[in-house]
Amino acid sequence: MAKTTNYYEVLGVPREASQAEIRNAYRNLAKELHPDHPGGSATEFSRLQEANAVLSDPDRRREHDESLDLAHAADQLAGLNFDFDQPEDELSSRRRARESAGPSLGERLKGRFGRKEGSENGGGFGRDTGRRTRGRYDVTEARWYEPHRFDPEPVTLKSGATSFVGAFLAFIVAGQVGIWASGQGAGVLEFLTVLNPFMFLVYTLVGLVAGYLAFRTAGWAGLALVFVAALVVGGQGEPPSLLRFLTVGIVTLLVVIWLGNRRDAAGR
């Protein structure tokens, strides 16, 4: 039987590691093993990526755990010589080795389906923790109204560009609507003048939504890029209140994140 690669050993984490521990271990090792880094290795980096991809997916992680259990059981059977005269202390040693390897495949399957049934009855969803159960694994699910619990990947060129360009275009559209709402060059869009008294709300909402989407995509770096886009568009001074209320929307998001973190800290 081919040896099964233990992805937990590749990442240097225990089998009961949480998703956060797996993610942190991957990020730390990726910096060291990246081919562009001195001492890095393309082979080791590829294996590290594969380990992270498997252990980050609850279904693939469950299959990997079952493969490890089967491989462990096969190794144990291969090591048995069926000598019934072997000393009692050797049997005790093997029993302890089995116990230290974790629960058996049958126990794991029983725990999996038992927890699944509990999840269907409402036990798998944490009202306060924002977690749900998939088999034997807890998966963090930040609700849309809990931005402080979002855990975006580190910003990349793609996610950063998407955050900035998306916010830039949204701010240009909002500003142009504001100009038309003030009656300047409205033409056939003169009906938009009814929005003029409410444009401060529109600007605030656009800033809030743009910041929310960027923070969910690229974290704090994405939110900073949204603010830069607001400075670029609103800094032109037209319409006059655009920059002010875009900033109010972004600051509102920061306050929501701060209050959420404070509430979670108080609940621990």
Side-chain angles (χ1 to χ4, degrees):
M1 175 179 292
K3 180 176 177 60
T4 301
T5 302
N6 189 330
Y7 291 131
Y8 294 101
E9 293 181 354
V10 173
L11 290 174
V13 297
R15 285 183 63 165
E16 64 274 11
S18 65
Q19 286 297 316
E21 293 172 327
I22 290 173
R23 183 167 51 253
N24 290 335
Y26 168 72
R27 291 174 179 173
N28 292 333
L29 290 174
K31 297 176 182 178
E32 301 176 5
L33 300 179
H34 195 281
D36 296 337
H37 187 275
S41 167
T43 302
E44 293 296 323
F45 184 71
S46 176
R47 190 168 69 139
L48 181 68
Q49 288 182 309
E50 181 179 0
N52 180 64
V54 170
L55 298 185
S56 296
D57 183 277
D59 293 328
R60 296 180 67 185
R61 181 179 180 181
R62 180 167 56 249
E63 293 174 0
H64 177 62
D65 286 353
E66 292 172 358
S67 297
L68 292 179
D69 290 337
L70 291 174
H72 179 72
D75 290 341
Q76 286 186 320
L77 290 175
L80 293 176
N81 57 13
F82 299 100
D83 181 5
F84 296 102
D85 296 329
Q86 60 186 328
E88 178 66 22
D89 59 346
E90 184 176 349
L91 292 175
S92 300
S93 175
R94 292 189 176 185
R95 184 163 53 249
R96 286 193 298 270
R98 286 195 300 272
E99 292 173 353
S100 64
S104 66
L105 179 59
E107 292 172 339
R108 292 167 63 82
L109 291 175
K110 180 180 178 181
R112 170 190 170 187
F113 290 109
R115 274 183 284 272
K116 183 177 180 181
E117 180 180 357
S119 176
E120 292 172 351
N121 292 332
F125 291 85
R127 182 181 301 273
D128 296 324
T129 61
R131 302 177 70 87
R132 68 183 177 88
T133 301
R134 292 185 62 183
R136 63 183 286 268
Y137 306 103
D138 289 336
V139 182
T140 300
E141 285 194 341
R143 301 172 179 87
W144 67 268
Y145 53 84
E146 297 175 325
H148 63 287
R149 290 184 176 174
F150 292 159
D151 189 17
E153 293 295 323
V155 64
T156 62
L157 180 61
K158 180 179 179 180
S159 63
T162 300
S163 300
F164 178 82
V165 174
F168 183 82
L169 295 176
F171 296 162
I172 288 180
V173 171
Q176 186 60 56
V177 171
I179 292 174
W180 289 333
S182 67
Q184 302 180 41
V188 296
L189 300 176
E190 189 175 354
F191 64 90
L192 291 176
T193 56
V194 299
L195 295 176
N196 194 46
F198 310 103
M199 285 309 300
F200 75 96
L201 291 176
V202 175
Y203 299 151
T204 301
L205 184 60
V206 170
L208 175 62
V209 172
Y212 173 91
L213 294 177
F215 182 70
R216 185 160 193 165
T217 302
W220 294 109
L223 190 57
L225 289 171
V226 169
F227 184 69
V228 172
L231 290 175
V232 172
V233 177
Q236 305 300 318
E238 188 67 30
S241 59
L242 178 62
L243 177 59
R244 183 194 323 158
F245 288 106
L246 289 178
T247 304
V248 169
I250 297 172
V251 171
T252 299
L253 176 63
L254 292 174
V255 171
V256 171
I257 295 173
W258 178 76
L259 290 176
N261 286 329
R262 184 175 181 182
R263 183 177 65 249
D264 283 359
R268 293 191 184 100

